[in-house]
Amino acid sequence: MTDRPLLLLDVDGPLNPFRSPLAGLRGYRSHRMWPDVWLSYRDPESRKARRGARVRLHPSHGARLLALPFELTWATAWTHQANTMISPHIGLPGDLTVVEWPELFADDPDGLSWKTRHLRDWAAGRPFAWVDDMITPRDRAWVAEHHPAPALLLRIHPRHGLRDRDFTTLTRWAEDISPAGR
């Protein structure tokens, strides 16, 4: 156990700006991948399934994430494949902790993201920052009301991916909640 807060990290949106037509112009590199979660929604004989998913990743993101004062954790539908498929392309170790989901994409009765309740439970009272493209004001309000420790829910637009200002926000938030920063 570490004193550092958790950084719960999604892949699609924050690391893979899948809605951006300009990602290649901003230093991202395109890769073809066949993650199980993506393939589960495709006919295995279809042209799209054979081509794989196009994933755009920035090679500097790993070093920038490792420099943050957090304990990195995958919080993505890619599950353990984030370690084997994403980590090597951005310079992260291939053994990061992975949040295990009871069910992928389950509807929430209160309209929260399918991840929200489980991530709050998984954090077990520890401070955490959650970086995802699916965070809403409703998720923020629910976590603020139901989580006993500080939590930052940082929505990343899937057109932009993680940007300098997001790394700054994460660093400042972690510093603000650290014992030395109080």
Side-chain angles (χ1 to χ4, degrees), residues 99-157:
V99 172
E100 300 284 349
W101 306 108
E103 182 180 356
L104 293 176
F105 311 112
D107 287 335
D108 183 87
D110 296 322
L112 301 173
S113 164
W114 64 274
K115 295 178 180 180
T116 305
R117 292 176 195 271
H118 187 67
L119 290 178
R120 187 276 319 253
D121 294 346
W122 195 88
R126 286 182 64 188
F128 71 87
W130 172 24
V131 177
D132 203 305
D133 63 313
M134 302 292 286
I135 294 168
T136 68
R138 182 174 282 171
D139 298 308
R140 286 187 186 101
W142 189 88
V143 169
E145 185 177 332
H146 293 93
H147 189 64
L152 170 67
L153 279 63
L154 183 60
R155 182 182 183 276
I156 305 298
H157 196 289

Side-chain angles (χ1 to χ4, degrees), residues 14 26 28 61 64 156-157 160-169:
R26 295 181 301 155
Y28 284 82
H61 278 165
R64 295 189 75 183
I156 305 298
H157 196 289
H160 305 294
L162 281 168
R163 297 189 279 183
D164 290 342
R165 69 183 188 192
D166 302 314
F167 286 98
T168 300
T169 297

Side-chain angles (χ1 to χ4, degrees), residues 60-99:
S60 74
H61 278 165
R64 295 189 75 183
L65 288 164
L66 290 170
L68 293 172
F70 287 90
E71 181 182 325
L72 298 179
T73 302
W74 290 117
T76 174
W78 287 67
T79 63
H80 292 276
Q81 288 186 312
N83 275 324
T84 58
M85 294 183 165
I86 303 300
S87 289
H89 294 289
I90 62 174
L92 287 177
D95 62 351
L96 294 180
T97 302
V98 176
V99 172

Side-chain angles (χ1 to χ4, degrees), residues 11-27:
V11 170
D12 294 317
L15 296 177
N16 173 26
F18 61 92
R19 297 246 187 248
S20 175
L22 304 175
L25 301 176
R26 295 181 301 155

